[in-house]
Amino acid sequence: MQAADIIQALSMQRHPEGGWYVETFRDANGGQRGHSTAIYYLLEAGERSHWHKVKDASEAWHHYAGAPLALHRSKDGVTQETVRLGPDILAGERPQAIIEADEWQSAESLGAYTLVGCTVAPGFDFSVFEMAPPGWQPGR
């Protein structure tokens, strides 16, 4: 399986933060925004999602296929922690990680590609999405 095959099979489109995505679920019971949303998200080798945050919603990341993913996060914009998402639990990888509301995050595939899922509650909306200025990193 190649990244291009997955992108085509799942009808993914480019995400403003980098990588590819497709929304797979929006809970209609929560109004226009929804109580929660879910997407598939794919990063190819050499791609990195730009530092960003969802101001008022928490996000659960789930590893599905491909290489492990380095998920970088910063609660205070100064220090940085990295969680490695992947299937090798005994080697310290985790199949799931949580990014809290208003927490900075960035991700990168550690191989040819990584396919993950992201579930956001309350539902994701670009009006509460903030991208860091170009070149920004925690501690700078």
Side-chain angles (χ1 to χ4, degrees):
M1 199 164 33
Q2 302 291 319
D5 300 325
I6 296 169
I7 292 164
Q8 182 177 7
L10 296 178
S11 300
M12 300 177 97
Q13 59 186 337
R14 280 286 184 190
H15 197 289
E17 75 193 39
W20 298 87
Y21 84 106
V22 62
E23 186 174 281
T24 58
F25 175 75
R26 182 170 292 271
D27 182 356
N29 291 321
Q32 182 179 1
R33 184 167 175 186
H35 288 301
S36 65
T37 53
I39 65 168
Y40 291 131
Y41 183 66
L42 185 141
L43 287 169
E44 296 179 86
E47 284 188 311
R48 184 179 179 133
S49 69
H50 190 74
W51 281 99
H52 66 283
K53 62 181 171 178
V54 181
K55 296 177 189 177
D56 68 348
S58 295
E59 185 169 2
W61 287 67
H62 314 270
H63 185 271
Y64 293 139
L69 180 91
L71 179 59
H72 311 289
R73 61 187 183 193
S74 177
K75 292 183 184 201
D76 57 11
V78 177
T79 58
Q80 178 180 317
E81 176 187 21
T82 300
V83 176
R84 195 173 158 120
L85 288 180
D88 195 348
I89 294 168
L90 298 181
E93 296 174 357
R94 295 294 177 254
Q96 176 185 5
I98 305 298
I99 300 292
E100 296 176 16
D102 208 37
E103 186 173 10
W104 290 104
Q105 58 181 300
S106 177
E108 59 188 312
S109 176
L110 299 176
Y113 74 88
T114 304
L115 176 65
V116 295
C118 297
T119 306
V120 178
F124 179 82
D125 188 276
F126 277 105
S127 69
V128 294
F129 174 82
E130 179 182 347
M131 286 222 294
W136 182 89
Q137 288 190 13
R140 285 193 185 169

